[in-house]
Amino acid sequence: MSLPKFILGDNSDYPNAIFVIHTEFPRFIINLENDEVEWFEDFDDEDQKELQTETENAIKLATDFYDAEITKYED
């Protein structure tokens, strides 16, 4: 199965949360309500440097994805 890079998610147990799921490495879910990130990867020391750079970029892309999706709903 082919998945999109980002998926929007919500859950009635978290009524104020807006989740963006990133399906490519590094895989994570970010809650845009509080910017909390849950990782689906285990990282070793070698990954830490790459992870820092990739994380900043991936979180920015996740936020941009959300903004673009909301704009589509508003139109």
Side-chain angles (χ1 to χ4, degrees):
M1 171 178 18
S2 178
L3 295 174
K5 185 173 185 172
F6 295 104
I7 301 171
L8 283 178
D10 67 353
N11 187 299
S12 59
D13 291 337
Y14 302 90
N16 296 323
I18 301 166
F19 299 102
V20 176
I21 301 99
H22 184 256
T23 63
E24 297 177 359
F25 184 85
R27 295 175 300 153
F28 64 86
I29 295 177
I30 183 171
N31 180 348
L32 295 178
E33 176 189 27
N34 58 16
D35 293 334
E36 190 173 327
V37 176
E38 181 71 29
W39 298 100
F40 292 118
E41 311 288 351
D42 292 323
F43 302 106
D44 58 24
D45 291 337
E46 292 178 18
D47 292 332
Q48 291 299 324
K49 190 173 188 177
E50 179 182 354
L51 175 63
Q52 184 176 3
T53 303
E54 289 297 319
T55 299
E56 292 172 10
N57 187 43
I59 290 173
K60 181 186 179 324
L61 291 174
T63 303
D64 292 347
F65 165 77
Y66 171 76
D67 291 342
E69 289 297 302
I70 293 304
T71 299
K72 291 175 189 175
Y73 285 113
E74 291 173 351
D75 291 341

